[in-house]
Amino acid sequence: MRRLISALIIISSFLTADLLLAAETAKAPHVAFSSKYRNVDYFFTDRAEAEAIADGANYDFAIREVGWDLISAVGRACSSVRNIQAIFIDRINFKERHSLVVLGVLADLEFLAFNIDSALPNNTLKELISAFEREHVSVIRLAEASSVELLISGK
């Protein structure tokens, strides 16, 4: 029960002040809306909705179009890593390429950013990358130093 209360306090800080900092001083992104799959919260940033609208849709349509295969594979991978509570999604690509652009994860109530400028900073992110591979989810490092793109391998 204490862990649940702690999680709610931390999540509320995401929604109001963006105060949490990761070990590498990356700020946790602002959460616009969320959903849940397999005990893992999917936190979507303001940009996810804005980009969906710019692509001529809304969040609900974009999620349906990106596909259940990807959504469930990401959820299974995240829930298989012991201490991951949430994943931060910054964009839903649903037109030509069905993928999610991910900024990082919430693990042990700490925001861990994906950072392409250095090796993965800790075992949690290393375990998550391995879990993605087991679920046939490709991880593509983007030019944006703070995000990766996730898509079903071979698509």
Side-chain angles (χ1 to χ4, degrees):
M1 186 66 161
R2 274 190 241 155
R3 186 173 175 146
L4 176 62
I5 292 170
S6 296
L8 291 173
I9 291 169
I10 297 296
I11 290 169
S12 70
S13 72
F14 286 134
L15 297 173
T16 56
D18 292 342
L19 295 177
L20 273 185
L21 299 177
E24 56 274 350
T25 68
K27 268 188 149 178
H30 182 265
V31 176
F33 48 95
S34 68
S35 61
K36 191 172 198 91
Y37 178 76
R38 288 189 171 240
N39 297 322
V40 175
D41 286 305
Y42 286 66
F43 289 158
F44 294 89
T45 66
D46 291 331
R47 182 176 176 214
E49 176 74 8
E51 294 289 335
I53 291 169
D55 287 341
N58 62 20
Y59 157 78
D60 293 324
F61 180 82
I63 283 294
R64 279 193 306 274
E65 289 297 307
V66 80
W68 181 247
D69 290 344
L70 178 60
I71 296 293
S72 60
V74 168
R76 285 189 308 269
C78 288
S79 66
S80 74
V81 178
R82 179 181 52 81
N83 54 346
I84 293 185
Q85 293 99 19
I87 186 165
F88 289 85
I89 299 170
D90 197 40
R91 181 162 169 79
I92 306 163
N93 295 322
F94 64 92
K95 282 189 166 183
E96 297 166 16
R97 190 173 170 115
H98 294 228
S99 66
L100 300 172
V101 175
V102 175
L103 299 173
V105 295
L106 182 67
D108 290 332
L109 303 179
E110 179 180 27
F111 176 70
L112 302 176
F114 285 109
N115 187 345
I116 65 168
D117 293 335
S118 61
L120 292 176
N122 64 39
N123 286 334
T124 299
L125 290 178
K126 290 175 188 172
E127 287 178 37
L128 182 58
I129 296 299
S130 294
F132 285 143
E133 290 172 2
R134 282 192 308 275
E135 293 294 334
H136 306 290
V137 174
S138 296
V139 179
I140 300 170
R141 297 186 183 266
L142 299 175
E144 300 169 22
S146 62
S147 62
V148 296
E149 184 177 22
L150 304 177
L151 62 145
I152 296 294
S153 300
K155 289 194 176 190

